[in-house]
Amino acid sequence: MSLQVAILKVLASYPDGRATVAAMNRDLAILSGAGVAWSQRLKKLAARAPSLDIFTEGFVLRDDAGWQLTTLGRAALRRIELPAPQKPTAPKLALIAQSTPASPKRASFTLRVVGGNERRRVATERSA
C-alpha cells in the first residue's frame, strides 16, 4: 500500500496532478532511494489507509497520456496526511483542604489547587 501512497504524493507534486508513466517511474525510483526517513513516512501514511486502492476508488485516472490525480485523490491524500488526533490529557489536580476554626460556629477553609506547575490559593468562609 505504501506504493499507492507514493503515487498519490508524486502526482500531487505536479501542478495539475498529471504525469506521464515515464515521469512517474523516474520520480518513484528517485524517492525509493531517498533513504529510511522517506520509507518510514510512507509506511506510517499507508498504515492510516490500510485498504487504499487508488484506482478502484477513483483517486487516480489512467489514460494514454499518463496518470491524473483526481479531486477525490487530493482529498484522500490530505486526510491521510492529517496528524493523528491527540488524546486530551486532563491536568492532575490535588485538592487540599485545611480547616482552621475561627470560632465554634464559623470555620475558615483554605483550598489549594495544585496542577502541573500552577499553584494558587483560594480562601472561602463557610458557616458551621
Side-chain angles (χ1 to χ4, degrees):
M1 290 304 147
S2 58
L3 176 61
Q4 292 193 31
V5 174
I7 291 170
L8 290 177
K9 298 277 293 166
V10 168
L11 287 173
S13 71
Y14 287 84
D16 61 352
R18 176 174 280 285
T20 64
V21 174
M24 288 291 302
N25 286 334
R26 182 190 66 237
D27 292 348
L28 291 170
I30 291 169
L31 291 172
S32 70
V36 176
W38 172 252
S39 297
Q40 288 176 346
R41 171 125 172 92
L42 280 182
K43 285 179 185 177
K44 285 180 184 178
L45 292 174
R48 294 181 184 176
S51 61
L52 181 67
D53 187 341
I54 61 176
F55 301 109
T56 302
E57 296 178 51
F59 297 159
V60 175
L61 301 176
R62 295 177 282 191
D63 60 23
D64 292 339
W67 293 3
Q68 172 77 45
L69 181 64
T70 65
T71 305
L72 287 174
R74 284 191 191 278
L77 184 59
R78 278 194 299 272
R79 278 191 310 274
I80 292 169
E81 290 181 321
L82 282 176
Q86 299 293 323
K87 293 181 182 178
T89 57
K92 295 180 182 176
L93 299 177
L95 184 59
I96 303 167
Q98 297 170 335
S99 174
T100 51
S103 70
K105 293 185 176 185
R106 233 173 148 75
S108 173
F109 291 92
T110 302
L111 300 177
R112 187 173 69 191
V113 179
V114 181
N117 294 332
E118 177 186 337
R119 293 184 180 176
R120 70 177 183 213
R121 292 182 182 264
V122 178
T124 61
E125 288 193 32
R126 191 172 148 190
S127 296

